[in-house]
């Protein structure tokens, strides 16, 4: 077993090697101004045809502010983190691309042989993720950004934040296309939620998975719902790339999205039928066809991904292994929680944990779970989510809530995705530090659904006041 002091020394050397260089603070304003002028020009060209671009500049600047805070925290507050490992290895890959392009290309295509490892070790001594395909894939994604970021950690992080912002913006445009009157609420839900911006901007898996979730939602909307005849190849390509990134990093996000897309498509087709009588007649047929097709798609996806994501049993087993690993205080500290014991070989036992897992995935850490200043950000945000959710639930009837969710297929998809995803991370994650990062893809969808339901409540209350002859407050 390696000497623990040697491992710690090696990690501290890595942190020193990867941390922000002093010269980056002088170059950063130039980068920010360049991004600002590009964003401002994009806004000026687009805003007349697409009014939602009124938020474009502020949203990307808020993203940069988020990644700056992220870099400060990891550089001066934490004693390191995987973001530094990703950056150092990505730097090594970009250097190798010039010195040894063929070997670099073979590594990019998955040749992780001992020969390639020996060559790669000439560019960096830190090979923590060489045998972890999902983690090493982040290095491949970040490598081109290191060149644009002048091989500095802070500047590369700003480049990554600017690039991944595109996926979040595409997500916002899908919702705006449906609910333009809720432009301000949707901007808060998707573009300006603090924890999403903070954890979804740095050199981490989460930045790329969040962006990919936005891009694939945008592509699915145009291909399957809007049936756009223009840019079909473009949407197919972006959907394929996004799916590939999700499969390579966090396949369970793709599973949750595919299940949600299936619900979205089913109810979109049903809602397109004007007659309620005909809807009732065709519902069983559409549901069965979509269910069978969805099962085949999910099954095929499982076979493509393989490994621990091939079927439900293997996914449950993997989730149980991850949960038990993350709860080890000697490795991950005391910031953990436990949804209770269950029999991983019994589907009934697993399903009994759905309420606890969903509650954890949606609302934890609670304020009383907070152990440090970084977790406080998520704790405060989660308190807001709890209050907002309870306010909506207690101000109306369950039937109204169901009618509101089923009123629009996009909102139904958002709610279903959020619930499925909350269960998956609440069930498999037992460490708060990991949970606050893993949950960020569900927050925009869940918040958008809440704002939609709240808007329906306000409309119903206004209509009720008008019938009673009571003047409303504008």
């Amino acid at each position: 077993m390696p000497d623990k002091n040697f491992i710690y020394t090696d990690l501290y050397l890595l942190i020193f090697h990867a941390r922000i260089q002093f010269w980056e603070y002088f170059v950063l304003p130039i980068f920010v101004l360049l991004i600002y002028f590009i964003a401002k020009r994009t806004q000026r060209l687009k805003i007349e045809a697409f009014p939602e671009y009124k938020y474009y500049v502020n949203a990307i600047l808020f993203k940069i502010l988020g990644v700056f805070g992220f870099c400060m925290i990891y550089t001066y507050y934490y004693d390191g983190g995987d973001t530094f490992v990703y950056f150092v290895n990505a730097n090594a890959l970009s250097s190798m691309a010039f010195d040894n392009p063929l070997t670099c290309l073979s590594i990019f295509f998955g040749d992780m042989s001992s020969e390639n490892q020996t060559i790669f070790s000439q560019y960096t001594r830190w090979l923590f993720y060489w045998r972890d395909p999902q983690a090493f894939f982040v290095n491949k994604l970040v490598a081109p950004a290191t060149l644009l970021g002048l091989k500095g950690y802070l500047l590369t992080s700003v480049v990554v934040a600017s690039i991944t912002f595109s996926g979040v913006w595409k997500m916002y445009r899908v919702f705006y296309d449906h609910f333009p009157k809720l432009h301000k609420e949707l901007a808060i839900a998707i573009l300006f939620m603090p924890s999403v911006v903070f954890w979804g901007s740095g050199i981490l898996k989460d930045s790329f998975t969040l962006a990919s979730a936005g891009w694939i939602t945008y592509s699915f909307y145009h291909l399957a719902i809007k049936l756009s005849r223009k840019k079909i190849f473009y949407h197919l390509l972006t959907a394929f790339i996004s799916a590939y990134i999700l499969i390579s990093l966090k396949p369970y996000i793709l599973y949750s999205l595919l299940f949600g897309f299936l619900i979205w498509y089913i109810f979109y087709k049903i809602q397109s039928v004007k007659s309620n009588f005909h809807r009732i007649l065709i519902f069983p047929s559409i549901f069965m066809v979509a269910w069978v097709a969805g099962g085949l798609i999910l099954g095929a996806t499982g076979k493509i991904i393989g490994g621990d994501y091939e079927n439900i049993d293997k996914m449950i087993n993997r989730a149980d292994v991850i949960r038990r690993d993350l709860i080890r205080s000697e490795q991950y500290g005391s910031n953990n929680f436990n949804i209770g014991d269950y029999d991983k070989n019994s589907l009934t036992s697993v399903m009994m944990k759905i309420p606890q897992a969903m509650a954890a995935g949606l609302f934890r850490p609670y304020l009383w779970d907070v152990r440090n200043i970084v977790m406080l950000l998520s704790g405060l945000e989660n308190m807001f989510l709890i209050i907002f959710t309870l306010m909506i639930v207690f101000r109306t009837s369950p039937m109204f809530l169901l009618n509101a969710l089923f009123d629009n297929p996009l909102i139904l998809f958002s709610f279903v995705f959020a619930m499925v995803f909350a269960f998956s991370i609440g069930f498999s994650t037992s460490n708060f530090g990991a949970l606050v990062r893993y949950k960020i893809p569900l927050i925009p969808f869940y918040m958008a659904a809440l704002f939609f339901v709240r808007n329906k409540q306000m409309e119903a209350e206004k209509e009720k006041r008008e019938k009673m002859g009571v003047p409303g407050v504008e």
Side-chain angles (χ1 to χ4, degrees):
M1 182 176 179
D3 180 65
K4 183 180 291 187
N5 292 326
F6 172 78
I7 294 176
Y8 287 157
T9 302
D10 210 36
L11 287 173
Y12 284 126
L13 285 173
L14 167 64
I15 296 165
F16 179 80
H17 186 74
R19 67 186 296 134
I20 300 170
Q21 305 300 310
F22 188 67
W23 61 267
E24 293 185 74
Y25 291 109
F26 294 97
V27 182
L28 178 63
I30 300 174
F31 269 58
V32 175
L33 282 174
L34 181 61
I35 293 168
Y36 171 79
F37 284 125
I38 294 174
K40 194 68 177 177
R41 183 176 184 275
T42 302
Q43 183 185 61
R44 187 172 62 252
L45 293 174
K46 298 278 190 178
I47 195 166
E48 186 174 346
F50 305 103
E52 64 268 28
Y53 272 84
K54 66 182 290 186
Y55 296 106
Y56 189 78
V57 173
N58 289 338
I60 197 168
L61 290 178
F62 191 62
K63 185 88 165 175
I64 293 173
L65 179 64
V67 78
F68 181 78
F70 174 87
C71 291
M72 294 298 103
I73 291 293
Y74 267 87
T75 301
Y76 299 112
Y77 181 79
Y78 284 147
D79 292 328
D82 44 5
T83 179
F84 292 130
V85 184
Y86 294 139
F87 169 70
V88 169
N89 283 297
N91 250 340
L93 278 175
S94 61
S95 299
M96 181 186 286
F98 291 97
D99 300 337
N100 201 331
L102 292 180
T103 302
C104 182
L105 194 62
S106 68
I107 291 175
F108 263 85
F109 281 98
D111 183 0
M112 311 301 284
S113 62
S114 56
E115 292 81 6
N116 282 350
Q117 181 179 0
T118 301
I119 297 172
F120 185 67
S121 64
Q122 297 173 12
Y123 294 86
T124 177
R125 61 182 288 183
W126 296 286
L127 305 176
F128 298 115
Y129 295 146
W130 182 262
R131 297 300 177 189
D132 186 343
Q134 292 181 338
F136 200 84
F137 189 76
V138 179
N139 304 331
K140 300 176 186 179
L141 293 173
V142 176
T146 62
L147 300 176
L148 295 174
L150 306 179
K151 290 185 170 289
Y153 173 72
L154 175 59
L155 299 181
T156 300
S157 297
V158 170
V159 172
V160 168
S162 302
I163 293 172
T164 55
F165 170 76
S166 63
V168 181
W169 180 252
K170 292 299 183 183
M171 185 193 302
Y172 174 71
R173 294 198 64 192
V174 171
F175 281 89
Y176 180 88
D177 205 27
H178 284 75
F179 318 110
K181 292 183 179 180
L182 298 178
H183 58 90
K184 185 183 296 184
E185 292 85 350
L186 293 174
I188 294 171
I190 300 170
L191 302 176
F192 297 109
M193 289 298 289
S195 69
V196 176
V197 174
F198 183 85
W199 294 111
S201 300
I203 301 176
L204 293 173
K205 292 179 184 178
D206 310 277
S207 301
F208 295 100
T209 54
L210 177 64
S212 298
W215 270 106
I216 199 171
T217 301
Y218 179 79
S219 298
F220 175 82
Y221 169 59
H222 281 274
L223 289 170
I225 305 299
K226 203 172 182 179
L227 299 177
S228 303
R229 295 185 178 181
K230 296 180 180 179
K231 299 183 179 180
I232 293 179
F233 177 76
Y234 167 78
H235 292 304
L236 287 172
L237 181 62
T238 53
F240 174 80
I241 293 173
S242 301
Y244 181 71
I245 291 174
L246 290 173
I247 289 172
S248 300
L249 294 178
K250 296 184 178 183
Y252 61 88
I253 298 180
L254 181 61
Y255 275 112
S256 301
L257 282 169
L258 289 177
F259 185 75
F261 289 158
L262 177 64
I263 300 297
W264 188 359
Y265 185 77
I266 290 174
F267 283 90
Y268 168 75
K269 285 298 182 182
I270 293 173
Q271 197 176 69
S272 64
V273 178
K274 302 301 181 184
S275 169
N276 289 332
F277 176 73
H278 289 145
R279 286 184 187 181
I280 295 172
L281 286 179
I282 67 170
F283 175 78
S285 300
I286 292 179
F287 185 82
M288 287 303 299
V289 170
W291 187 262
V292 172
L296 293 174
I297 292 172
L298 290 173
T301 304
K303 290 181 179 179
I304 292 172
I305 298 173
D308 293 327
Y309 294 94
E310 187 173 353
N311 54 52
I312 293 295
D313 291 336
K314 289 186 176 181
M315 283 190 279
I316 291 175
N317 185 66
R318 176 180 172 81
D320 184 67
V321 171
I322 294 173
R323 185 182 69 87
R324 294 181 185 278
D325 176 63
L326 288 173
I327 207 170
R328 291 187 295 119
S329 59
E330 71 276 9
Q331 179 70 24
Y332 298 101
S334 59
N335 293 330
N336 51 50
F337 64 96
N338 195 343
I339 61 171
D341 296 327
Y342 57 87
D343 181 3
K344 65 180 181 180
N345 297 313
S346 170
L347 186 59
T348 302
S349 179
V350 171
M351 291 180 68
M352 292 292 290
K353 292 299 175 182
I354 288 178
Q356 298 98 311
M358 280 188 175
L362 283 172
F363 303 125
R364 298 194 77 172
Y366 305 130
L367 278 178
W368 51 88
D369 294 323
V370 171
R371 297 292 183 272
N372 57 61
I373 192 169
V374 179
M375 199 188 298
L376 180 62
L377 173 70
S378 292
L380 291 171
E381 190 174 278
N382 289 337
M383 181 59 66
F384 167 75
L385 283 175
I386 293 171
I387 294 172
F388 194 18
T389 302
L390 292 177
M391 182 180 73
I392 290 174
V393 169
F394 287 114
R395 290 190 64 167
T396 189
S397 66
M399 187 57 65
F400 182 92
L401 287 174
L402 287 174
N403 287 334
L405 291 173
F406 281 86
D407 183 67
N408 187 282
L410 173 59
I411 296 303
L412 183 61
F413 151 68
S414 300
F415 185 77
V416 169
F417 167 73
M419 294 302 105
V420 172
F421 193 76
F423 168 73
S424 66
I425 60 171
F427 182 76
S428 63
T429 308
S430 52
N431 179 271
F432 288 126
L435 181 65
V436 296
R437 288 164 50 178
Y438 294 170
K439 70 185 291 184
I440 64 171
L442 75 83
I443 294 176
F445 292 99
Y446 183 68
M447 282 294 297
L450 288 183
F451 276 123
F452 175 81
V453 175
R454 176 60 187 144
N455 183 67
K456 296 289 287 185
Q457 285 181 338
M458 292 173 65
E459 289 179 348
E461 291 168 1
K462 181 180 179 181
E463 183 179 348
K464 184 178 179 180
R465 287 196 302 268
E466 288 176 350
K467 288 182 178 179
M468 296 175 62
V470 178
V473 178
E474 294 296 331

